[in-house]
């Protein structure tokens, strides 16, 4: 058990690499499974590396603020998150 750095719930957390293209040296943040899936569904690794490479940046993004306020109300530890077109288009 830990505390999610995004939604601040006391739940099981996973390790998110803040700069995904450089996993070895990347700082990691404890993030719950739903928030973690959401991060990778709405942001590309490129955006994570360049724009959202700190917990504060992620947390203040509109996408994650909306998601965090929703997940806090649900009490869910696992959710299905679909990759947004924004991310799948980028992957090609
Ligand atoms: Zn969370
Ligand atoms: Zn991650």
């Amino acid at each position: 058990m830990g505390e999610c750095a995004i939604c601040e719930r006391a739940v099981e957390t996973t390790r998110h690499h803040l700069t995904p293209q450089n996993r070895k040296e990347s700082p990691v943040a404890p993030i719950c499974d739903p928030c973690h899936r959401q991060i990778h569904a709405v942001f590309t690794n490129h955006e994570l590396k360049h724009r959202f490479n700190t917990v504060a940046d992620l947390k203040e993004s509109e996408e994650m603020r909306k998601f965090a306020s929703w997940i806090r109300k649900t009490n869910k530890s696992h959710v299905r998150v679909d990759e947004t077109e924004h991310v799948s288009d980028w992957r090609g």
Side-chain angles (χ1 to χ4, degrees), residues 10-84:
V11 289
E12 201 85 46
T13 56
T14 57
R15 287 153 52 90
H16 170 64
H17 289 79
L18 291 163
T19 54
Q21 284 158 331
N22 192 5
R23 291 178 80 94
K24 251 189 215 160
E25 289 158 37
S26 172
V28 294
I31 294 181
C32 74
D33 188 67
C35 290
H36 200 175
R37 285 172 191 272
Q38 176 72 357
I39 288 171
H40 289 285
V42 298
F43 301 123
T44 65
N45 279 357
H46 183 84
E47 289 170 322
L48 291 172
K49 186 182 173 192
H50 295 281
R51 288 176 48 204
F52 301 103
N53 53 17
T54 66
V55 166
D57 287 329
L58 285 168
K59 217 171 161 174
E60 283 160 21
S61 70
E62 207 190 325
E63 289 88 341
M64 294 314 297
R65 271 193 292 132
K66 274 191 211 148
F67 185 82
S69 65
W70 171 74
I71 197 82
R72 274 186 212 119
K73 287 181 228 150
T74 69
N75 214 18
K76 288 181 198 286
S77 51
H78 295 282
V79 294
R80 209 187 114 93
V81 173
D82 291 316
E83 195 171 75
T84 58

